[in-house]
Amino acid sequence: MATRRDLAEYHRKRDFARTGEPKGANDAGPPREGTGDGAFVVQLHEASTTHFDFRLEADGVLKSWAVPKGVSTDPGDKRLAVPTEDHPLEYGDFEGVIAAGEYGGGTVMVWDTGDYRNLSKRHGEPIPLADALEHGHAAFWLDGDKLHGGYALTRLRDGAWLLVKERDKHASSAGSPPHPHRMRSALTRRTLGQIAADEDAER
Ligand code: MN
């Protein structure tokens, strides 16, 4: 059932002579076996539109969705999540500036990261996360720096997904989030502006 790790689309979209994003290998060993527990990352991406990218480790890649409004802690918020190409695992700690004119040009911050526990079931039985995604419904528990508790991803008829907080002790009604320019990296505590300034200083 598990698909082979395939980064062809990721590679096709990028010129690695011009972007500092990790290339990742297509053949970096077999996917991890087991229930599908692994890492998650939410990147804040100030590209042509500012959005968040939600990524879950499965089958040796980061399964990825663009989430325009970010991940909510309020079970009443159904957040649109548009699937994007699989990313290499190494992308999980990528922060920096993608050159203007390149695919996704703009600043990337690791807004949150940590481990997830797969809670997906089918007909009452636990199933691997990759299988759950193929079937269009996955449930998982996030242990991040900012995000905690149960979440579910559900595919709609049109191919878009909804990312929704489950009702548990970590649920809370979402106040208005800080402006993206005031958000800080879970890895380095830097703002988008500081990440861009550091990259300028390196050149
Ligand atoms: Mn993005």
Side-chain angles (χ1 to χ4, degrees):
M1 186 63 124
T3 50
R4 260 209 56 78
R5 172 178 167 112
D6 181 5
L7 295 170
E9 187 180 355
Y10 176 84
H11 289 150
R12 196 161 54 239
K13 287 182 166 171
R14 290 168 177 82
D15 176 355
F16 291 96
R18 295 185 47 83
T19 178
E21 293 167 288
K23 188 162 184 211
N26 237 357
D27 53 356
R32 188 144 95 184
E33 298 295 328
T35 57
D37 297 5
F40 82 93
V41 62
V42 185
Q43 279 153 320
L44 171 59
H45 186 185
E46 189 175 44
S48 52
T49 60
T50 299
H51 61 274
F52 294 81
D53 290 295
F54 182 72
R55 312 188 199 280
L56 287 173
E57 178 182 357
D59 278 352
V61 296
L62 292 173
K63 298 289 176 186
S64 298
W65 295 259
V67 184
K69 295 179 75 177
V71 186
S72 182
T73 57
D74 184 342
D77 283 342
K78 295 184 181 353
R79 291 293 164 87
L80 178 69
V82 180
T84 58
E85 75 276 17
D86 292 348
H87 280 50
L89 295 179
E90 298 92 314
Y91 210 93
D93 60 5
F94 174 72
E95 275 188 349
V97 179
I98 302 169
E102 293 306 296
Y103 178 72
T107 307
V108 176
M109 170 202 290
V110 176
W111 179 78
D112 198 18
T113 188
D115 293 327
Y116 75 82
R117 204 151 34 86
N118 177 32
L119 302 174
S120 303
K121 289 186 176 176
R122 188 165 169 82
H123 308 306
E125 296 296 321
I127 58 169
L129 187 85
D131 294 352
L133 293 174
E134 275 183 37
H135 289 297
H137 182 74
F140 42 87
W141 185 275
L142 301 182
D143 282 310
D145 187 50
K146 299 183 173 91
L147 297 174
H148 306 279
Y151 281 83
L153 265 169
T154 305
R155 187 167 53 214
L156 307 174
R157 284 168 189 273
D158 65 2
W161 295 65
L162 292 177
L163 175 59
V164 183
K165 179 79 190 73
E166 306 271 23
R167 295 185 186 282
D168 56 39
K169 66 178 180 178
H170 298 288
S172 65
S173 54
S176 43
H179 189 279
H181 287 170
R182 297 234 297 275
M183 291 176 173
R184 286 186 180 273
S185 164
L187 287 184
T188 63
R189 305 293 158 200
R190 295 180 298 172
T191 62
L192 286 169
Q194 287 167 336
I195 291 167
D198 286 352
E199 188 136 325
D200 271 351
E202 277 172 33
R203 279 201 209 101

